[in-house]
Amino acid sequence: MTTDTPRFGFVVLHYLADDATGQCIESIRRHCAGADIIVVDNNSANGSYQRLQQRYGDDPAVTLLHNRMNAGFARGNNVGYAYARDTLHCDFIVTMNNDATVVDDDFMTVCVQDAQAHPQAGVIGPDIVSGRNGSHSNPIYAMVDTRAEVRRQIRRFRVILLLLHLHLFGPLTRLKAKLTHADTEALPEHVNRTADAIEGRPYKLHGACLVFTPVFVRRFEHPFDPGTFLYFEEDILLMRCRRQGLTMLYDKRLTVRHAEDVSTDRSLPQDERRRMIFTLRNYVRSLNVLDRYVPAR
């Protein structure tokens, strides 16, 4: 770390939802006094960036950056990370979705403690609590970390895409639910009922809030592979860390509340079928990037 008091930079990726972005900024100001806040606008076309300029344009703690195109999750966050790293010289860089809010007064203190106690930890993840149902998004145990699994997933999503284009996916899904008596109230596979991690079980961290430690910031000019637009960034980040001998660390003492997909929901097609096609196309695109990182076994 460069000083006795490490410098924190919070990168907030903004798209369309300035109400959510404002709440995120205020939570950082309230609980992380002295931190730099970098808001990256992904070319919002609804006047929300201009409203943020009116609200925070004269605030010395807030930097507003504007992308001329919607660069997606990875490239949008990379812009803010680069500014925090190379211009502000931050020691810790936190990337946050604009629909996430910090709730701990000791957030920065705990991050520093974790980095000191775990010098090989490149990324720290908080307990991310869903604003929808109170479930916990961290840690994530479902990982795509072998070439065989990456290519299996690509084949699977391509089949679903074909069924969607043929208008067969909906009927087949409803038929399967009837035949298997699927539990519609069950939590999705990627969320947990408690904040506790399972001891000894490998995991990755959710992208809604990631804390990049000084060892990561020194080694990486950007945190995310720019080849993705949305999805599987966490798996790729895990592989990037492993290549550098760094680990991911989950600490439930840190808490972030997540409204979940506020900006994404506003930007996706409203028609369910078109939304699924958009999502699955980006799944395949991101998996092809991940394929370059995973071991061949």
PDB file of all heavy atoms in Angstrom, residues 27 29 36 41 59 74 107-108 113 115 134 136 167 180 207 218 262 287:
ATOM      1  N   SER A  27     -24.802   6.085  -0.221  1.00  0.00           N
ATOM      2  CA  SER A  27     -24.418   5.049   0.737  1.00  0.00           C
ATOM      3  C   SER A  27     -22.902   5.009   0.918  1.00  0.00           C
ATOM      4  O   SER A  27     -22.397   4.803   2.030  1.00  0.00           O
ATOM      5  CB  SER A  27     -24.936   3.677   0.283  1.00  0.00           C
ATOM      6  OG  SER A  27     -24.161   3.130  -0.780  1.00  0.00           O
ATOM      7  N   ARG A  29     -20.840   7.638   0.460  1.00  0.00           N
ATOM      8  CA  ARG A  29     -20.492   8.854   1.193  1.00  0.00           C
ATOM      9  C   ARG A  29     -20.794   8.696   2.684  1.00  0.00           C
ATOM     10  O   ARG A  29     -20.038   9.167   3.537  1.00  0.00           O
ATOM     11  CB  ARG A  29     -21.267  10.045   0.622  1.00  0.00           C
ATOM     12  CG  ARG A  29     -20.825  10.454  -0.774  1.00  0.00           C
ATOM     13  CD  ARG A  29     -21.887  11.260  -1.480  1.00  0.00           C
ATOM     14  NE  ARG A  29     -22.215  12.493  -0.793  1.00  0.00           N
ATOM     15  CZ  ARG A  29     -21.723  13.689  -1.140  1.00  0.00           C
ATOM     16  NH1 ARG A  29     -20.900  13.803  -2.164  1.00  0.00           N
ATOM     17  NH2 ARG A  29     -22.066  14.766  -0.492  1.00  0.00           N
ATOM     18  N   ASP A  36     -12.898   8.053  -2.789  1.00  0.00           N
ATOM     19  CA  ASP A  36     -13.193   8.643  -4.096  1.00  0.00           C
ATOM     20  C   ASP A  36     -14.309   7.843  -4.760  1.00  0.00           C
ATOM     21  O   ASP A  36     -14.330   6.611  -4.676  1.00  0.00           O
ATOM     22  CB  ASP A  36     -11.952   8.620  -4.975  1.00  0.00           C
ATOM     23  CG  ASP A  36     -10.842   9.494  -4.431  1.00  0.00           C
ATOM     24  OD1 ASP A  36     -11.014  10.717  -4.423  1.00  0.00           O
ATOM     25  OD2 ASP A  36      -9.809   8.951  -3.993  1.00  0.00           O
ATOM     26  N   ASP A  41     -20.785   6.462 -16.789  1.00  0.00           N
ATOM     27  CA  ASP A  41     -22.052   6.390 -17.509  1.00  0.00           C
ATOM     28  C   ASP A  41     -21.850   5.647 -18.824  1.00  0.00           C
ATOM     29  O   ASP A  41     -21.010   6.014 -19.646  1.00  0.00           O
ATOM     30  CB  ASP A  41     -22.587   7.785 -17.796  1.00  0.00           C
ATOM     31  CG  ASP A  41     -23.803   7.744 -18.701  1.00  0.00           C
ATOM     32  OD1 ASP A  41     -24.767   7.050 -18.352  1.00  0.00           O
ATOM     33  OD2 ASP A  41     -23.773   8.393 -19.768  1.00  0.00           O
ATOM     34  N   ASP A  59     -19.084  18.299  -6.927  1.00  0.00           N
ATOM     35  CA  ASP A  59     -18.647  17.574  -5.731  1.00  0.00           C
ATOM     36  C   ASP A  59     -17.226  17.055  -5.947  1.00  0.00           C
ATOM     37  O   ASP A  59     -16.996  16.233  -6.836  1.00  0.00           O
ATOM     38  CB  ASP A  59     -19.595  16.407  -5.457  1.00  0.00           C
ATOM     39  CG  ASP A  59     -19.382  15.778  -4.092  1.00  0.00           C
ATOM     40  OD1 ASP A  59     -18.214  15.730  -3.641  1.00  0.00           O
ATOM     41  OD2 ASP A  59     -20.373  15.344  -3.479  1.00  0.00           O
ATOM     42  N   ALA A  74     -18.013  -5.208 -18.439  1.00  0.00           N
ATOM     43  CA  ALA A  74     -16.561  -5.316 -18.303  1.00  0.00           C
ATOM     44  C   ALA A  74     -15.848  -4.047 -18.729  1.00  0.00           C
ATOM     45  O   ALA A  74     -15.076  -3.457 -17.962  1.00  0.00           O
ATOM     46  CB  ALA A  74     -16.049  -6.517 -19.107  1.00  0.00           C
ATOM     47  N   PHE A 107     -16.633  -0.653   6.499  1.00  0.00           N
ATOM     48  CA  PHE A 107     -16.391  -1.373   5.245  1.00  0.00           C
ATOM     49  C   PHE A 107     -14.915  -1.298   4.849  1.00  0.00           C
ATOM     50  O   PHE A 107     -14.273  -2.322   4.576  1.00  0.00           O
ATOM     51  CB  PHE A 107     -17.272  -0.787   4.136  1.00  0.00           C
ATOM     52  CG  PHE A 107     -17.237  -1.548   2.836  1.00  0.00           C
ATOM     53  CD1 PHE A 107     -18.200  -2.491   2.543  1.00  0.00           C
ATOM     54  CD2 PHE A 107     -16.243  -1.314   1.889  1.00  0.00           C
ATOM     55  CE1 PHE A 107     -18.175  -3.199   1.341  1.00  0.00           C
ATOM     56  CE2 PHE A 107     -16.202  -2.005   0.685  1.00  0.00           C
ATOM     57  CZ  PHE A 107     -17.175  -2.949   0.417  1.00  0.00           C
ATOM     58  N   MET A 108     -14.358  -0.108   4.815  1.00  0.00           N
ATOM     59  CA  MET A 108     -12.971   0.059   4.371  1.00  0.00           C
ATOM     60  C   MET A 108     -11.996  -0.549   5.377  1.00  0.00           C
ATOM     61  O   MET A 108     -10.996  -1.160   4.987  1.00  0.00           O
ATOM     62  CB  MET A 108     -12.676   1.539   4.130  1.00  0.00           C
ATOM     63  CG  MET A 108     -13.475   2.134   2.984  1.00  0.00           C
ATOM     64  SD  MET A 108     -12.930   3.799   2.467  1.00  0.00           S
ATOM     65  CE  MET A 108     -13.294   4.750   3.939  1.00  0.00           C
ATOM     66  N   GLN A 113      -8.061  -4.928   6.759  1.00  0.00           N
ATOM     67  CA  GLN A 113      -7.724  -6.062   7.624  1.00  0.00           C
ATOM     68  C   GLN A 113      -7.614  -7.353   6.821  1.00  0.00           C
ATOM     69  O   GLN A 113      -6.677  -8.142   7.014  1.00  0.00           O
ATOM     70  CB  GLN A 113      -8.776  -6.214   8.725  1.00  0.00           C
ATOM     71  CG  GLN A 113      -8.787  -5.102   9.746  1.00  0.00           C
ATOM     72  CD  GLN A 113      -9.968  -5.208  10.699  1.00  0.00           C
ATOM     73  OE1 GLN A 113     -10.877  -6.025  10.510  1.00  0.00           O
ATOM     74  NE2 GLN A 113      -9.965  -4.362  11.734  1.00  0.00           N
ATOM     75  N   ALA A 115      -6.944  -7.704   3.583  1.00  0.00           N
ATOM     76  CA  ALA A 115      -5.771  -7.666   2.705  1.00  0.00           C
ATOM     77  C   ALA A 115      -4.489  -7.915   3.484  1.00  0.00           C
ATOM     78  O   ALA A 115      -3.562  -8.566   2.973  1.00  0.00           O
ATOM     79  CB  ALA A 115      -5.703  -6.316   1.984  1.00  0.00           C
ATOM     80  N   GLY A 134     -34.158 -11.378   0.308  1.00  0.00           N
ATOM     81  CA  GLY A 134     -33.272 -11.535   1.459  1.00  0.00           C
ATOM     82  C   GLY A 134     -32.252 -12.643   1.334  1.00  0.00           C
ATOM     83  O   GLY A 134     -31.537 -12.939   2.301  1.00  0.00           O
ATOM     84  N   HIS A 136     -28.747 -14.565  -0.229  1.00  0.00           N
ATOM     85  CA  HIS A 136     -27.360 -14.112  -0.237  1.00  0.00           C
ATOM     86  C   HIS A 136     -26.675 -14.605  -1.515  1.00  0.00           C
ATOM     87  O   HIS A 136     -26.654 -15.803  -1.782  1.00  0.00           O
ATOM     88  CB  HIS A 136     -26.631 -14.642   0.996  1.00  0.00           C
ATOM     89  CG  HIS A 136     -27.310 -14.264   2.285  1.00  0.00           C
ATOM     90  ND1 HIS A 136     -26.956 -13.159   3.024  1.00  0.00           N
ATOM     91  CD2 HIS A 136     -28.358 -14.844   2.936  1.00  0.00           C
ATOM     92  CE1 HIS A 136     -27.731 -13.073   4.089  1.00  0.00           C
ATOM     93  NE2 HIS A 136     -28.598 -14.084   4.061  1.00  0.00           N
ATOM     94  N   HIS A 167     -39.534 -21.118 -31.774  1.00  0.00           N
ATOM     95  CA  HIS A 167     -40.697 -20.918 -30.900  1.00  0.00           C
ATOM     96  C   HIS A 167     -41.098 -22.208 -30.187  1.00  0.00           C
ATOM     97  O   HIS A 167     -42.287 -22.433 -29.914  1.00  0.00           O
ATOM     98  CB  HIS A 167     -41.891 -20.374 -31.708  1.00  0.00           C
ATOM     99  CG  HIS A 167     -41.642 -19.020 -32.284  1.00  0.00           C
ATOM    100  ND1 HIS A 167     -41.965 -17.848 -31.643  1.00  0.00           N
ATOM    101  CD2 HIS A 167     -41.060 -18.648 -33.469  1.00  0.00           C
ATOM    102  CE1 HIS A 167     -41.620 -16.814 -32.395  1.00  0.00           C
ATOM    103  NE2 HIS A 167     -41.068 -17.265 -33.503  1.00  0.00           N
ATOM    104  N   THR A 180     -41.987 -33.074 -14.284  1.00  0.00           N
ATOM    105  CA  THR A 180     -41.050 -33.216 -13.166  1.00  0.00           C
ATOM    106  C   THR A 180     -41.577 -32.605 -11.878  1.00  0.00           C
ATOM    107  O   THR A 180     -40.920 -32.704 -10.839  1.00  0.00           O
ATOM    108  CB  THR A 180     -39.701 -32.554 -13.507  1.00  0.00           C
ATOM    109  OG1 THR A 180     -39.915 -31.161 -13.785  1.00  0.00           O
ATOM    110  CG2 THR A 180     -39.068 -33.218 -14.724  1.00  0.00           C
ATOM    111  N   GLY A 207     -20.417 -10.375  -9.031  1.00  0.00           N
ATOM    112  CA  GLY A 207     -19.925  -9.140  -9.629  1.00  0.00           C
ATOM    113  C   GLY A 207     -20.632  -7.869  -9.212  1.00  0.00           C
ATOM    114  O   GLY A 207     -20.209  -6.780  -9.598  1.00  0.00           O
ATOM    115  N   ARG A 218      -1.854  -3.581  -8.351  1.00  0.00           N
ATOM    116  CA  ARG A 218      -0.483  -3.458  -8.854  1.00  0.00           C
ATOM    117  C   ARG A 218      -0.246  -4.342 -10.076  1.00  0.00           C
ATOM    118  O   ARG A 218       0.519  -3.975 -10.980  1.00  0.00           O
ATOM    119  CB  ARG A 218       0.519  -3.810  -7.761  1.00  0.00           C
ATOM    120  CG  ARG A 218       0.650  -2.756  -6.664  1.00  0.00           C
ATOM    121  CD  ARG A 218       1.875  -3.020  -5.805  1.00  0.00           C
ATOM    122  NE  ARG A 218       1.784  -4.275  -5.071  1.00  0.00           N
ATOM    123  CZ  ARG A 218       1.284  -4.388  -3.841  1.00  0.00           C
ATOM    124  NH1 ARG A 218       0.814  -3.324  -3.213  1.00  0.00           N
ATOM    125  NH2 ARG A 218       1.246  -5.557  -3.244  1.00  0.00           N
ATOM    126  N   VAL A 262     -31.392  -3.528 -11.785  1.00  0.00           N
ATOM    127  CA  VAL A 262     -32.209  -2.356 -12.098  1.00  0.00           C
ATOM    128  C   VAL A 262     -31.884  -1.822 -13.484  1.00  0.00           C
ATOM    129  O   VAL A 262     -32.763  -1.640 -14.328  1.00  0.00           O
ATOM    130  CB  VAL A 262     -31.998  -1.256 -11.031  1.00  0.00           C
ATOM    131  CG1 VAL A 262     -32.642   0.053 -11.493  1.00  0.00           C
ATOM    132  CG2 VAL A 262     -32.599  -1.701  -9.703  1.00  0.00           C
ATOM    133  N   LEU A 287     -18.682 -17.044 -22.902  1.00  0.00           N
ATOM    134  CA  LEU A 287     -18.082 -18.371 -22.728  1.00  0.00           C
ATOM    135  C   LEU A 287     -16.926 -18.585 -23.704  1.00  0.00           C
ATOM    136  O   LEU A 287     -15.944 -19.250 -23.372  1.00  0.00           O
ATOM    137  CB  LEU A 287     -19.143 -19.452 -22.903  1.00  0.00           C
ATOM    138  CG  LEU A 287     -20.086 -19.639 -21.714  1.00  0.00           C
ATOM    139  CD1 LEU A 287     -21.303 -20.460 -22.121  1.00  0.00           C
ATOM    140  CD2 LEU A 287     -19.363 -20.313 -20.549  1.00  0.00           C
TER     141      LEU A 287
END
